[in-house]
Amino acid sequence: SQQGEEDPQALSIQEGENATMNCSYKTSINNLQWYRQNSGRGLVHLILIRSNEREKHSGRLRVTLDTSKKSSSLLITASRAADTASYFCATEPSGSRLTFGEGTQLTVNP
Amino acid sequence: GAVVSQHPSRVICKSGTSVKIECRSLDFQATTMFWYRQFPKQSLMLMATSNEGSKATYEQGVEKDKFLINHASLTLSTLTVTSAHPEDSSFYICSARQGATRADTQYFGPGTRLTVL
């Protein structure tokens, strides 16, 4: 089964609104990462949050991590049409293999 | 951030032929490279982990004789899909990591769209 599970699977919002995506995982982790993928393209690394961190910011992105609940959230504030993409969380539960969640397809309508 | 390239970006081939995909780290030396496959509207599935100068480690269910991986230098890994069939049509993505620890970020290539007719 997937280490990371994300919800919602799809999210459609208006430009300017905030978008929140959630990720849950099963095993202990050293860090959790979020990636963005535009349709038919490779992945872009957005942010890495370590297991001893609770919150991290990068521009309009805010990531939280709750290791007690084994969950993370990605918040994109003041969304733009260009934010339309799939967003994946990823963890490394064992060895050095990065395991991806199912992803959330975000659509930001202009 | 570090740059990883893939070539070709798209390839269409006939069933039964072999296709080679290159993954290059352009501005750093990649101790480890990873190959993923992604079907439409699905997540990335790791196929194999490749360390420079040694044999690749394949994930369960991935045929090593069908998906040949070579990591001959610290900046280049190749994936060869041998005797490709329509079910091999997919989006193949590589990533490269400079170090061997979990703390090192993986940088992803732009992907290669393989279509087997």
Side-chain angles (χ1 to χ4, degrees), chain B residues 30-85:
Chain B
T31 305
T32 307
M33 286 184 168
F34 303 85
W35 287 96
Y36 296 83
R37 181 166 56 184
Q38 185 181 32
F39 292 108
K41 298 191 184 302
Q42 293 189 24
S43 187
L44 279 73
M45 297 300 295
L46 179 65
M47 298 175 66
T49 301
S50 153
N51 292 299
E52 186 268 339
S54 63
K55 291 184 179 180
T57 302
Y58 289 80
E59 295 300 302
Q60 192 172 9
V62 178
E63 300 175 59
K64 61 178 68 175
D65 293 332
K66 181 164 184 65
F67 299 100
L68 301 178
I69 290 171
N70 185 283
H71 191 164
S73 77
L74 285 171
T75 59
L76 173 65
S77 176
T78 60
L79 167 68
T80 301
V81 183
T82 62
S83 188
H85 288 94

Side-chain angles (χ1 to χ4, degrees), chain B:
Chain B
V3 178
V4 175
S5 70
Q6 277 184 246
H7 177 80
S9 58
R10 291 177 181 270
V11 57
I12 301 173
C13 69
K14 292 183 179 179
S15 187
T17 60
S18 294
V19 175
K20 180 186 283 189
I21 303 170
E22 292 186 349
C23 176
R24 293 182 186 272
S25 56
L26 298 185
D27 50 2
F28 68 101
Q29 294 185 325
T31 305
T32 307
M33 286 184 168
F34 303 85
W35 287 96
Y36 296 83
R37 181 166 56 184
Q38 185 181 32
F39 292 108
K41 298 191 184 302
Q42 293 189 24
S43 187
L44 279 73
M45 297 300 295
L46 179 65
M47 298 175 66
T49 301
S50 153
N51 292 299
E52 186 268 339
S54 63
K55 291 184 179 180
T57 302
Y58 289 80
E59 295 300 302
Q60 192 172 9
V62 178
E63 300 175 59
K64 61 178 68 175
D65 293 332
K66 181 164 184 65
F67 299 100
L68 301 178
I69 290 171
N70 185 283
H71 191 164
S73 77
L74 285 171
T75 59
L76 173 65
S77 176
T78 60
L79 167 68
T80 301
V81 183
T82 62
S83 188
H85 288 94
E87 57 266 30
D88 298 323
S89 297
S90 188
F91 194 54
Y92 291 87
I93 304 176
C94 74
S95 70
R97 176 147 65 188
Q98 189 168 9
T101 69
R102 298 182 191 184
D104 296 296
T105 300
Q106 286 187 35
Y107 297 95
F108 285 80
T112 296
R113 173 79 56 195
L114 170 62
T115 303
V116 184
L117 303 177

